[in-house]
Amino acid sequence: MPYVNKPRPYKKEYEQQKTRGEHDFRMERQRARRKIDKTGADKNNNGEADVREGKDIAHVKALSKGGSNKNGVRIQSPSKNRSFKRDSNSNLVSEVSKKERKKSK
């Protein structure tokens, strides 16, 4: 529990995110989510497209590999979308998930 005795420095975290270049990727992911939420059906009126509830927006070509929303997005389960191999800087190393590697063996 890092921030027990003091408030969390959101402004500092935001500035660090911008200097590391993560801000642009986050905004690209947010635009993709908003586009799907706007075009998809929302029968239970919770503001999220029914097809996306509990799922992640995955870019066909990873943002860290030079992809964008123009390259296409797909809806995946969080476990499949977040299980890619990454380096020490949290950049994507392989676009093949652990589950897919196990299936191919």
Side-chain angles (χ1 to χ4, degrees):
M1 298 191 307
Y3 298 110
V4 176
N5 297 323
K6 58 185 176 181
R8 187 171 170 183
Y10 288 103
K11 189 172 186 178
K12 179 184 174 192
E13 289 177 8
Y14 179 66
E15 292 301 322
Q16 288 175 336
Q17 188 184 60
K18 286 199 300 190
T19 57
R20 286 191 300 254
E22 297 171 2
H23 178 73
D24 296 332
F25 292 157
R26 184 174 63 83
M27 295 310 292
E28 192 78 11
R29 288 192 305 271
Q30 184 175 351
R31 281 191 289 273
R33 284 193 302 271
R34 285 181 176 164
K35 183 178 180 183
I36 287 181
D37 286 341
K38 188 165 65 171
T39 59
D42 184 18
K43 293 179 182 172
N44 59 1
N45 295 323
N46 67 344
E48 197 173 285
D50 293 337
V51 72
R52 194 176 80 79
E53 290 181 7
K55 305 281 184 174
D56 280 355
I57 300 296
H59 288 80
V60 173
K61 184 174 183 183
L63 295 175
S64 61
K65 297 279 188 182
S68 69
N69 289 342
K70 294 174 188 162
N71 296 2
V73 294
R74 59 180 165 236
I75 299 172
Q76 284 185 337
S77 67
S79 64
K80 189 169 184 182
N81 188 38
R82 299 176 193 174
S83 61
F84 297 115
K85 188 173 182 183
R86 301 193 181 264
D87 63 9
S88 61
N89 294 329
S90 301
N91 293 326
L92 196 63
V93 173
S94 173
E95 291 192 44
V96 180
S97 69
K98 294 173 190 172
K99 289 181 179 180
E100 290 173 349
R101 273 186 250 132
K102 286 182 180 177
K103 286 181 186 177
S104 65
K105 288 182 180 180

